[in-house]
Amino acid sequence: MIQVEALTKRYGSVTAVDGLTFTAPPGTVTGFLGPNGAGKSTTMRMVVGLERPTSGTATVDGRRYADLPAPLRTVGVMLDARSVHPGRTAFRHLRALARTHGIGRARVDEVIGMTGLEKVAGRRAGTFSLGMGQRLGIAGALLGDPGTLILDEPVNGLDPDGVLWVRGLVRGLAAEGRTVLLSSHLMHELALCADRVVVIGRGRLLADAPVQELAEDAGSLEDAYLRLTAGAVEYRGRTAEETGRAATGGAR
Amino acid sequence: MTATTPSSLRTRPTAARTTSHGPTLARVVASEWTKLTSLRSSWWAAALTVAVSAALTYLSAQASSVDPGFDPMGSLTSGVLLAQVPPLVLGVLVGTGEHSTGAFRTTFVAVPRRWPVLAAQTVATATFALLAAVLAVVAAVLALVPSARSRGIPLDLGADGTPRVLGGMVLVLVGTALLGLALGALLRRPVPAVTVAVLVVLVLPVALVLAADLASDPLAASASASVPPAQAAVNTVVTFLPAGAASLLTGEGAVEGAPDLGAWGGGLVLTAWVAVPLALAALRLRTRDVV
């Protein structure tokens, strides 16, 4: 279980995460949603102790991440597919990670099999496509057979086959009673694999509700998301027409 | 769709067992050893250390073998200065490798206390550099054989001070690798770290000595037996650089006008050059976010 309470992160005058409170309960896939720059990744980095909160707390199974006696066996983390040295083979990367917790070679081979990386395990990670990098990241997260998984955009760059596989994987992990926190921009994907969604914008909580409830109220999860984040989008593209109007000096 | 399984069904280790399943220093050392030996660059650095040591020692011995008073042992340490470059780069690559590639996320999520990683990198780098250094010193000795044989001079490795010089050469190469590691871990980006490391180890001592030579009047220097104060000051500074420590360790003695710290003093100077940036890197790791 992941518990985030009044979590705040400031970088100088910029507040990336602002008093965020939510819980990702066990046996559930919790979707984590928000526009670019909303503070999703910052929140995840604080949960796993890479960044220190300015105030507030984040705990896994009631403990601060830094106080976990065997982090890999408690929390599986995939934050970024580029969290690997490009000069190291996938096998050696996982082997080195496993050795920090005394996890044997058999389990390394097992997660390589689970993620379908057998054929490329001997290749250097720098030669991997984004999708293969994602699989390697997921393999690393599964290594310690953890009760909690934190996956940042796991389906990014995966082929349809891979997307389907991740969907089945996270559903299966939650069905075993594990906690899964998963961020994604793909609304249809979350509608299919998440039980609950936590929506944030500009570092603040906008919604924390079951997927069905949100989707029913607004027609679809996508509509619900767009309505919730309407005032919290940091970066918005404009149509050609809008750009032309802006150039001639006309206000909206 | 919330499927909850009773927690008793889940294969979760008990608290007592979890402790023994976490990251211990020995495990992190094993992990860092796997990391270091799984990069091609490490093996290239080791091979180059041996090759540079052998080639330069051979050339130096061949060049001076025509001198009437040729002593092959006099060429023993001639390759050390440049053979330091590959271990230096090796250390920098280990120290910066995590941060420059994003691999630090994986590493520090597995070892949230962070400092054991730096300690393990130090152990792994020292061990790997030690193996390379021993081979490089053996190569240097073997490189003396042709010129010694051509003049019919036997190589006596047991002669006074020689074992100490051999040991000193190994220590210099290992210390240089650790200096690279420390600077790399502190600066985190490979290009600035290599630049600073090469400046400190190679460029600065040479530049200082040349500058002192320019500033002093050569005629005055040769007329009086004593070293001019400006040059003595420069030499004192050089003594406290890694290069000065290296020459003390390899038995070349103190530069003139500088305090003679002896081999132990040289070892301490080199240790300080490793320990200070390493401590600063550990402090930065401990107190700052890793992003």
Side-chain angles (χ1 to χ4, degrees), chain B residues 257-275:
Chain B
D260 188 353
L261 306 172
W264 283 104
L268 279 177
V269 169
L270 194 53
T271 306
W273 272 99
V274 174

Side-chain angles (χ1 to χ4, degrees), chain B residues 223-241:
Chain B
S224 68
S226 68
V227 183
Q231 195 156 1
V234 166
N235 289 349
T236 305
V237 172
V238 171
T239 302
F240 287 97
L241 287 176

Side-chain angles (χ1 to χ4, degrees), chain A residues 9 11 26-28 45 48-53 61 63 65-75 77 79-80 82-89 92-93 95-97 99-103 124 145-148 171 174-179 192 194-195 212, chain B residues 1-6 9-13 15 17-24 26-41 43 93 97-98 100-114 285-291:
Chain A
K9 181 69 181 182
Y11 304 103
T28 306
R45 284 199 300 266
V48 300
L50 291 178
E51 293 193 44
R52 236 162 280 206
D61 295 346
R63 290 189 197 226
Y65 190 89
D67 298 333
L68 293 172
L72 278 192
R73 295 180 191 272
T74 312
V75 191
V77 183
L79 291 180
D80 191 323
R82 291 170 297 108
S83 302
V84 182
H85 195 298
R88 207 167 276 131
T89 67
R92 294 285 231 137
H93 166 75
R95 186 94 171 96
L97 182 58
R99 290 189 97 172
T100 60
H101 282 57
I103 296 169
R124 295 193 288 159
D145 195 18
T148 297
R171 291 257 34 104
E176 288 168 4
R178 299 178 212 249
T179 305
L192 284 168
D195 304 300
Q212 276 170 323
Chain B
M1 258 186 96
T2 314
T4 25
T5 312
L9 287 185
R10 285 165 48 195
T11 50
R12 297 291 305 283
R17 277 183 62 212
T18 317
T19 315
S20 65
H21 282 183
T24 60
R27 283 175 177 165
V28 181
V29 168
S31 171
E32 289 302 325
W33 180 257
T34 300
K35 282 188 192 170
L36 192 154
T37 54
S38 61
L39 291 180
R40 286 182 193 171
S41 55
W43 297 102
L93 290 180
E98 299 281 317
S100 61
T101 62
F104 73 90
R105 278 186 286 267
T106 306
T107 303
F108 294 130
V109 161
V111 189
R113 283 192 299 157
R114 298 181 195 167
L285 262 189
R286 200 184 144 76
T287 55
R288 303 282 169 170
D289 294 339
V290 279
V291 185

Side-chain angles (χ1 to χ4, degrees), chain A residues 136-189:
Chain A
L136 181 55
I138 293 171
L142 295 173
L143 208 49
D145 195 18
T148 297
L149 284 118
I150 296 176
L151 308 171
D152 196 0
E153 304 274 356
V155 297
N156 231 359
L158 284 179
D159 51 22
D161 220 42
V163 173
L164 203 65
W165 167 69
V166 169
R167 200 184 296 158
L169 178 77
V170 297
R171 291 257 34 104
L173 291 167
E176 288 168 4
R178 299 178 212 249
T179 305
V180 182
L181 179 67
L182 173 151
S183 79
S184 181
H185 287 115
L186 304 172
M187 221 59 60
H188 308 292
E189 197 43 50

Side-chain angles (χ1 to χ4, degrees), chain B residues 54 57-59 61-63 65 70 72 138-153 155:
Chain B
T57 312
Y58 173 79
L59 291 174
Q62 286 291 319
S65 66
F70 172 61
V138 169
V141 171
L142 292 177
L144 296 175
V145 171
S147 52
R149 190 169 285 167
S150 71
R151 289 284 300 269
I153 305 169
L155 277 182

